[in-house]
Amino acid sequence: MLQHIFNELIKQDIKPVLATFGFNKKGLNFYKRTDHLIYLINFQKSAGNTTNQVMFYVNCGIYAAELAQIQSKEILTAPKEVECHFRARMREITAIAPDRFSITATTIDDVRKMLLRGLEDVHHFFETMISARSIVDYYTSGPFLHLGEESFHLLLQANDVTAAKRYFNALRKKHGAEQRWSIFEQQYLAIFNQYGVKLEII
């Protein structure tokens, strides 16, 4: 019964709303494509669902062909969430959403409202992410190690040496005391050398 309610929620509520945002449905994935990026919203059912409760996650992803090229990977037209360059649960984008949604006989209306509001927030967030550089800027502002090598390549290809150095120093300040940092540092220095950029470690 609740599995049927979940299916109807996707079909009757989620699909029409995401269609207005330009998304097309493929299974439990919704894709929106532009010239530079592929946006993905994925509904992932949780393990251990019962007849009285259906739990699921909402995963958000952005795939950039430009970053895939830097990674020397095949360009995908329908990437899975795990293959996206930006990845986040809906909860990480909007405080409206829980980490995991739970449908029971008494929560369906609340889940529907949270989902629809959350999808609007995700749509607005996606509108701010318009290029591979947007993804890189998101992770370098953290600063996060995720996409570190790809970010340095993209920044240095664009001759944005200032941003690349700022990112390196921010990562070093955040992770420099960690044992693993020496490995990352050597990888990043090699990238700077590849582009003929001298990096002064401060």
Side-chain angles (χ1 to χ4, degrees):
M1 177 65 178
L2 289 178
Q3 180 59 54
H4 174 73
I5 290 175
F6 172 80
N7 293 338
E8 288 300 298
L9 176 68
I10 297 294
K11 180 180 178 181
Q12 301 295 337
D13 296 287
I14 304 306
K15 183 180 177 181
V17 167
L18 288 180
T20 66
F21 297 151
F23 285 82
N24 296 308
K25 183 177 181 295
K26 183 178 181 181
L28 290 178
N29 294 319
F30 291 83
Y31 292 98
K32 179 179 179 178
R33 295 171 176 83
T34 67
D35 290 340
H36 304 290
L37 301 174
I38 299 174
Y39 303 91
L40 167 66
I41 298 176
N42 161 259
F43 291 81
Q44 175 192 350
K45 285 188 283 187
S46 178
N49 285 333
T50 68
T51 55
N52 298 317
Q53 184 180 42
V54 172
M55 297 175 290
F56 62 96
Y57 301 94
V58 181
N59 303 310
C60 307
I62 307 175
Y63 176 87
E66 186 175 358
L67 292 174
Q69 289 175 328
I70 288 174
Q71 295 170 323
S72 298
K73 291 184 177 179
E74 177 186 0
I75 305 301
L76 304 176
T77 56
K80 299 176 182 176
E81 184 267 338
V82 70
E83 296 168 319
C84 288
H85 298 100
F86 170 87
R87 299 171 62 198
R89 287 262 165 86
M90 180 185 277
R91 174 67 178 179
E92 298 173 68
I93 296 175
T94 173
I96 290 172
D99 182 58
R100 181 173 62 179
F101 291 88
S102 175
I103 297 177
T104 66
T106 59
T107 64
I108 180 60
D109 288 337
D110 289 337
V111 168
R112 181 184 292 108
K113 290 175 184 176
M114 280 191 296
L115 262 178
L116 295 179
R117 289 181 61 195
L119 290 172
E120 281 194 32
D121 288 349
V122 170
H123 170 62
H124 292 317
F125 174 78
F126 278 172
E127 287 187 317
T128 70
M129 305 287 278
I130 59 174
S131 65
R133 178 62 187 261
S134 299
I135 298 173
V136 166
D137 286 345
Y138 177 89
Y139 285 114
T140 58
S141 67
F144 302 104
L145 288 166
H146 180 64
L147 285 184
E149 292 184 53
E150 295 87 345
S151 295
F152 284 117
H153 277 292
L154 188 141
L155 292 171
L156 292 170
Q157 284 177 7
N159 201 32
D160 196 344
V161 175
T162 300
K165 288 183 176 180
R166 183 169 59 243
Y167 177 42
F168 177 87
N169 288 324
L171 285 178
R172 189 171 186 271
K173 182 178 180 180
K174 184 176 181 180
H175 299 286
E178 300 173 15
Q179 187 174 4
R180 61 177 179 165
W181 172 249
S182 61
I183 298 173
F184 287 110
E185 184 175 80
Q186 292 306 309
Q187 291 173 341
Y188 299 154
L189 289 175
I191 295 172
F192 277 89
N193 288 335
Q194 181 180 336
Y195 292 90
V197 176
K198 182 175 177 59
L199 183 63
E200 295 178 3
I201 299 178
I202 59 174

